[in-house]
Amino acid sequence: MKLADNKATLSFSNGSPSVDLPVYQGSIGPDVVDIRKLYAQTGMFTYDPGFLSTAACQSAITYIDGDKGELLYRGYPIEQLATQCDYLDTCYLLLNGELPNTSQREDFHKLVINHTMVHEQMQMFLRGFRRDAHPMAVLTGLVGAMSAFYHDSTDVHNAQHREIAAIRLIAKMPTLVAMAHKYGAGQPYMYPQNNLSYAGNFLRMMFGTPCEEYKVSPVLERAMDRIFILHADHEQNASTSTVRLCGSSGTNPFAAIAAGVACLWGPAHGGANEAALNMLEQIQHDGGVAKVGEFVAKVKDKNSGVKLMGFGHRVYKNYDPRAKLMQQTCNEVLDELGLHNDPLFALAKALEKIALEDDYFVSRKLYPNVDFYSGIVQRAIGIPVKLFTGVFALARTVGWIAQLNEMIGDPEYKIGRPRQLFTGAVRRDVQPIAKR
Ligand code: CMC
């Protein structure tokens, strides 16, 4: 870490001596004040629920400029990666720090493709779930169970174990997500077919059946791949921080990633794409475009508890750059499938237009996020709404692994152990039950 020229000085109004705190500079983005010695020096903690002002780690993977609406993976703008690279190139980049050259690309693609099949016994494990279980519940279980199937890659402190666990997770997530879908639909599982692309293989495992040949549509394949690229990493969000915290205890990589899957499920995070689509369907059901004004009024009424799902972001206070790319993909997919008059898409456009003009949203800098459009694209492709967050988890797995590996390799890494401001009862004695 690079020390800045200036220091921060913390002073107290009660006469306690002030303390100097080092300031570090990143390559871009805000500087940080190093408070690691604050407790030792003052006996005080800092208070920052929700990490609004706290950098929990140093990282060289992903950078977001929320005001500009910029997203960089290892320095490369998301717009360039989404249009010039595929998802596996992006995985290589996130894991290794550089884009692959031709031979590295070929080797990496081969390596991942060689690991797409899951242990046959995984089917028995899957069978233990109810058929109507939510796919995210199933996936949390399946990913956690991988540590029971792949004993030879569970030591997070062993670089080789970490590497093979990374490849297994990236390669097998599409297979597991498709299996979770097929199990719920009561259809036979489709084994991976390794002459297809990563995205093409996923589409075939999702929508193919053993009864007939499945032809991968290049437009849908590209759309799927783009969804994967756009969701591959997003710096220290809730699920990534969960993976880091979970992994900081030295647990195995599969367990740490399963924790990330569980966190992602929530509607304020990865579950937002499912929630956004459910919201659109509900408005459609209640009267469609004509009811948009009424719905927006409800969103603006704080007492209603209704949020405009797919809008707003903790970091982006400008248009989410992923949303722009997803909007393009959305147009391509709707064209390809002849769904341009799809009422839900028209509804989404109407909602977006009102929200972008309405002072409530403008003044709070609430713009559409990636989930606003990714739900529509996934629905058009035929992915069931319940599976949207599973697709997000599939794509984000590489980001979680890259961040976990970065943490393990950081000489300053320690088990995560937040502190607290205690507001409960002070010491008291247990009274005999008759006196309570
Ligand atoms: N609809 C209506 N009002 C909103 C929304 C929304 N979607 N998002 C934020 N606000 C309001 C919020 O009520 C608050 O208003 P006020 O200042 O009057 O109290 C103000 O905007 C600031 O919101 P906040 O809750 O302080 O913002 P946050 O950074 O804590 O929350 C968020 C970010 C993503 C949780 C929130 O915007 C949200 O719940 N959005 C809907 C869910 C969603 O689409 N999530 C996907 C995030 S992108 C995918 C991912 O990375 O997982």
Side-chain angles (χ1 to χ4, degrees), residues 52 231 234 237 264 267-273 276 299-300 302 306-315 317 320 322 360-361 364 366 369-372 392 396:
L52 295 176
H231 288 86
H234 215 225
N237 54 82
L264 188 75
H269 191 8
N273 50 18
V299 169
K300 286 157 57 176
K302 290 277 174 200
V306 177
K307 273 195 166 175
L308 183 50
M309 299 312 285
F311 261 71
H313 200 275
R314 169 61 60 81
V315 183
K317 301 302 172 195
D320 177 344
R322 303 168 303 168
Y360 175 95
F361 299 93
R364 288 172 178 77
L366 299 172
N369 59 52
V370 65
D371 291 325
F372 192 68
F392 189 164
R396 181 56 59 83

Side-chain angles (χ1 to χ4, degrees), residues 88-109:
L88 286 186
D89 298 341
T90 308
C91 290
Y92 186 97
L93 172 70
L94 289 169
L95 293 172
N96 301 300
E98 295 298 336
L99 281 167
N101 63 26
T102 311
S103 69
Q104 289 165 333
R105 182 174 197 272
E106 205 172 293
D107 291 349
F108 186 72
H109 277 237

